[in-house]
C-alpha cells in the first residue's frame, strides 16, 4: 500500500477537527484513503476506497453534481490548479449537508498526476446557500455588479411573521419558510436568482425583466402562497408584501439597491400590505421624513420631552353632554417637522423602542392632571393609551403604582387603554398583570375593539373593565346602507353588558349618531360631536361650561 496513506501526518490531520474531513488519493492506482471521521459521518464503506470519484459522486446532491464534476474534471485535466467548490453531500443519516471541498493535484516532473489530496469542511449555515431553504445566501450578492446588469430586484417579506412564530413555534415557522421559498423559486424564470435575504425576507433578481413580468410574478406568488399546506393537511394562511427596484435605472450600486429595496418593502408593509410596490420618489421622501422625525423625536425626549403635549377628549354620559372624564391623547411638534400626526410619530416611537420613555411621561402627566382637576371638577375618569411594548417592560407595573402613590390619585379613576390590534405574544402574562392592577383598583380598557380578528380571543383571556368600540363601525351609522354597523354595535354592546363590562363608543361625529347610540346600552360616548381632542385650557373651558349647565 502506498506510503502516502500510512504516515503520521495523515493521522494527525484526520483527527484535527469534527467538521473537517480529509482524503488523499493515489492517482496511479485510483485508491484513496479517507479519514475515519469522514467514513463515519458520510457512511462510507471503508477508509480505503477504489474509484472514489464515482463512489463520492453518489453522495452528492443531484442538483449539485454538475458543479462538482465540472470542477474536478478541470483539476484532473490540469485546466485548474485547485479543486474548490461547495455542494450538498449526503451524510450517514441520509441528510444532505453543505460542504466546501478543496483539494489539489501533485504531479511528477512529466506532469503526470500522482496524488490528489484535500479536505472537506462542513459549512452548514455559512455557505453559498442558505442551509434552511437551499436558496442563495445574501452574502452571494457581492458577485453582482448592478451597474453593468439590467433588470428588477424584488424584496419579498412575509407579513407579521413574528406572530406566526409565536403562534406555531419555530419548527412550523421553518417549514413555512421552506415551502414559501420553494414556491417563489419555482415561479420565477430560470435565469432569475433567488436569495434568502434575511429571516423572513427573500430577494429575487429578475434579470432583463419588464415591470409587467414582475407584477405578474408577484401576483402569482401571492395567489399560490396565501395558504401554505404542511403535513397532516395542516393549512396556514400567510401574506407577503414586496418592494421592487429597477437596476441600473434606480440603483446601480449594490448598497443603494438594497437600501431602496428595504425602504420600498417597509413602505409596502406599512401602507399597502400584501402588495408589490416599486421604488419611487414618494417612498424616498417618506423615508427621509421618517429619519428626520426619528432624530427630532430623540432630541425632544432628551430635552425633557420638549414639544410633547397631552390633548384631552371628553367622555360623555349618553343622553347628556355631561363630561365625566377624558382620554389623554399625545401630540408632538418637532423643531423641523411640526405637522406629524400621532399615528405617524407614535409608530416611529414604537419602532425604535422610544415609546417606553414617552409612555412613562404620558402616564405621569395623565395621573398628575387627574389629581390637579380633582378639587375643581371632582373625580374625572382619565384614560391614557399604553402600547403593548410598554406592558412588556418589567418595570411598567411598579412605575404605575409608584406614580399613582406619588400623586395620590385614586386608581379607580385611572383607565389604561390597551390597543387591541397589537400582537399579544403572551396573553397569560398580560392577563396576570391586568388582574394585579385591577386588584389595586386601576381600570383596564380594551381599545379599538372589533378591528382585529383576534378581538374575541383577547377578550377570552384578558379580564378588563371597559371595551372601547372602534370608530369605523360608528362614524357612518346614520348613513343609509349602514344597518349592518348598527346590528354589530348593538350586539357588541349587548355582549359587553352580559359579560359585565362597561363600554365606550368612540367616533360619535354628529347628533344623529349620538341619538342612535344613545338609545343603546352604552356606558360612555366619545367623539368629535362632543369635542375634538383639545389642549388643557380648552378642555377646562369645556369642564367649566359643563359645570355651569348642570
Ligand atoms: P385611539 O386610541 O383609537 O384614539 C382615538 C383617536 O380617534 C384619536 O386620534 C382621536 O382624535 C380620534 N377621534 C376621536 N373622536 C373621533 C371622531 O369622532 N371621528 C374620528 N374620525 N376620529 C375621532 P389621535 O389623537 O390622532 O390618535 C391616534 C392614535 O394614536 C390613538 O388611537 C392611539 O392609538 C395613539 N395614541 C395617541 N396618544 C397615545 C399615547 O399617549 N400613547 C400611545 N401608545 N398611543 C397613543
Ligand atoms: Ca385609545
Amino acid at each position: 500500500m502506498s506510503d502516502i496513506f500510512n504516515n503520521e501526518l495523515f493521522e494527525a490531520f484526520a483527527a484535527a477537527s469534527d467538521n473537517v474531513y480529509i482524503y488523499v488519493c493515489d492517482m496511479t492506482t485510483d485508491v484513496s484513503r479517507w479519514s475515519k471521521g469522514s467514513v463515519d459521518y458520510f457512511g462510507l464503506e471503508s477508509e480505503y476506497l477504489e474509484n472514489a470519484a464515482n463512489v463520492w459522486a453518489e453522495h452528492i446532491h443531484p442538483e449539485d453534481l454538475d458543479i462538482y464534476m465540472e470542477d474536478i474534471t478541470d483539476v484532473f485535466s490540469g485546466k485548474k490548479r485547485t479543486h474548490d467548490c461547495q455542494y450538498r453531500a449526503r451524510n450517514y443519516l441520509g441528510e444532505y449537508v453543505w460542504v466546501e471541498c478543496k483539494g489539489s493535484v501533485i504531479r511528477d516532473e512529466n506532469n503526470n498526476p500522482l496524488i490528489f489530496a484535500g479536505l472537506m469542511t462542513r459549512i452548514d449555515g455559512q455557505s453559498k446557500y442558505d442551509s434552511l431553504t437551499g436558496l442563495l445566501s445574501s452574502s452571494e450578492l457581492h458577485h453582482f455588479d448592478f451597474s453593468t446588469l439590467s433588470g428588477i430586484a424584488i424584496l419579498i417579506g412575509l407579513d407579521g411573521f413574528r406572530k406566526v412564530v409565536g403562534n406555531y413555534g419555530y419548527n412550523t415557522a421553518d417549514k413555512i419558510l421552506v415551502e414559501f421559498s420553494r414556491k417563489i423559486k419555482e415561479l420565477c424564470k430560470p435565469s432569475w436568482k433567488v436569495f434568502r435575504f434575511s429571516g423572513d425576507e427573500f430577494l429575487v433578481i429578475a434579470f432583463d425583466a419588464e415591470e409587467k413580468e414582475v407584477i405578474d410574478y408577484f401576483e402569482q406568488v401571492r395567489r399560490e402562497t396565501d395558504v401554505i399546506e404542511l403535513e397532516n393537511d395542516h393549512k396556514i394562511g400567510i401574506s407577503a408584501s414586496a418592494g421592487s427596484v429597477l437596476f441600473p435605472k434606480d440603483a446601480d450600486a449594490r448598497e443603494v439597491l438594497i437600501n431602496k429595496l428595504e425602504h420600498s418593502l417597509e413602505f409596502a408593509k406599512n401602507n399597502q400590505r400584501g402588495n408589490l410596490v416599486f421604488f419611487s420618489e414618494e417612498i424616498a421622501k417618506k423615508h427621509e421624513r421618517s429619519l428626520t422625525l426619528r432624530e427630532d423625536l430623540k432630541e425632544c425626549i432628551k430635552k425633557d420631552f420638549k414639544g410633547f403635549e397631552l390633548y384631552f377628549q371628553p367622555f360623555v354620559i349618553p343622553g347628556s353632554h355631561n363630561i365625566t372624564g377624558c382620554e389623554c391623547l399625545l401630540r408632538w411638534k418637532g423643531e423641523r417637522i411640526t405637522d406629524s400626526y400621532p399615528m405617524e410619530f407614535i409608530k416611529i416611537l414604537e419602532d425604535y423602542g422610544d415609546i417606553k420613555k414617552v409612555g412613562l411621561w404620558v402616564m405621569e402627566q395623565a395621573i398628575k392632571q387627574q389629581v390637579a382637576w380633582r378639587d375643581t371638577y371632582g373625580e374625572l375618569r382619565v384614560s391614557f393609551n399604553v402600547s403593548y411594548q410598554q406592558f412588556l417592560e418589567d418595570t411598567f407595573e411598579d412605575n404605575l403604582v409608584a406614580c399613582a402613590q406619588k400623586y395620590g390619585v385614586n386608581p379607580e379613576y385611572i383607565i389604561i387603554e390597551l390597543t387591541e390590534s397589537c400582537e399579544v405574544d403572551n396573553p397569560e402574562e398580560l392577563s396576570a398583570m391586568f388582574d394585579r392592577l385591577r386588584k389595586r383598583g386601576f381600570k383596564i380598557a380594551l381599545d379599538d375593539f372589533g378591528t382585529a380578528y383576534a378581538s374575541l380571543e383577547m377578550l377570552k383571556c384578558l379580564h378588563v373593565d371597559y371595551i372601547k368600540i372602534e370608530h369605523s363601525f360608528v362614524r357612518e351609522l346614520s348613513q343609509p346602507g349602514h344597518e349592518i354597523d348598527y346590528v354589530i354595535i348593538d350586539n357588541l354592546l349587548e355582549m359587553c353588558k352580559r359579560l359585565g363590562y362597561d363600554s365606550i363608543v368612540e367616533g360619535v361625529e354628529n347628533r344623529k349618531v349620538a341619538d342612535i347610540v344613545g338609545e343603546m346600552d352604552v356606558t360612555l360616548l366619545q367623539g368629535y360631536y362632543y369635542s375634538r381632542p383639545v389642549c388643557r385650557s380648552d378642555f377646562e373651558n369645556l369642564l367649566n361650561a359643563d359645570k355651569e349647565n348642570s
Side-chain angles (χ1 to χ4, degrees), residues 327-329 383-386 417-419 447-448 468 506 526:
E327 175 173 3
C328 301
L329 291 154
S383 83
F384 58 91
N385 293 279
V386 175
E417 298 195 11
L418 166 70
T419 301
D447 209 354
D448 305 331
K468 293 193 78 177
E506 298 185 83
Q526 181 184 355

Side-chain angles (χ1 to χ4, degrees), residues 488-528:
I488 293 174
I489 297 172
D490 200 29
N491 277 284
L492 283 177
L493 291 173
E494 173 64 20
M495 183 191 75
C496 289
K497 192 177 157 210
R498 287 177 63 174
L499 294 171
Y501 299 125
D502 282 325
S503 53
I504 303 177
V505 166
E506 298 185 83
V508 179
E509 288 189 351
N510 54 54
R511 168 95 190 256
K512 260 186 174 167
V513 174
D515 287 346
I516 296 173
V517 188
E519 294 285 302
M520 299 177 183
D521 222 327
V522 55
T523 319
L524 297 172
L525 299 175
Q526 181 184 355
Y528 292 170

Side-chain angles (χ1 to χ4, degrees), residues 148-216:
T148 61
L149 297 162
S150 109
I152 300 175
I154 316 154
L155 186 61
I156 305 177
L158 291 172
D159 298 323
F161 199 63
R162 205 172 59 88
K163 186 146 194 194
V164 173
V165 179
N167 286 347
Y168 301 102
Y170 283 102
N171 268 342
T172 304
D174 276 357
K175 285 181 189 153
I176 293 172
L177 290 175
V178 169
E179 197 43 35
F180 184 75
S181 51
R182 196 181 61 76
K183 267 282 172 221
I184 57 173
K185 176 128 196 247
E186 187 183 293
L187 291 172
C188 70
K189 279 185 151 183
S191 61
W192 297 5
K193 296 256 181 248
V194 187
F195 300 79
R196 174 138 184 233
F197 187 70
S198 65
D200 57 1
E201 289 177 2
F202 302 88
L203 176 61
V204 179
I205 311 268
F207 292 106
D208 302 315
E210 303 281 328
E211 287 182 41
K212 166 93 174 61
E213 232 176 327
V214 163
I215 292 168
D216 290 347

Side-chain angles (χ1 to χ4, degrees), residues 18-19 21 34 36-45 55-62 64 87-99 120-124 131:
D18 286 345
N19 280 336
Y21 309 103
W34 296 66
K36 174 90 171 51
S38 55
V39 172
D40 292 343
Y41 186 69
F42 293 107
L44 302 176
E45 225 166 76
V55 174
W56 183 242
E58 281 181 24
H59 280 261
I60 296 175
H61 195 291
D64 303 338
Y87 52 80
R88 283 162 288 183
R90 199 178 61 242
N91 67 11
Y92 73 106
L93 293 168
E95 292 167 347
Y96 283 103
V97 292
W98 282 97
V99 294
M120 278 180 295
T121 314
R122 267 180 57 198
I123 47 164
D124 317 1
S131 60

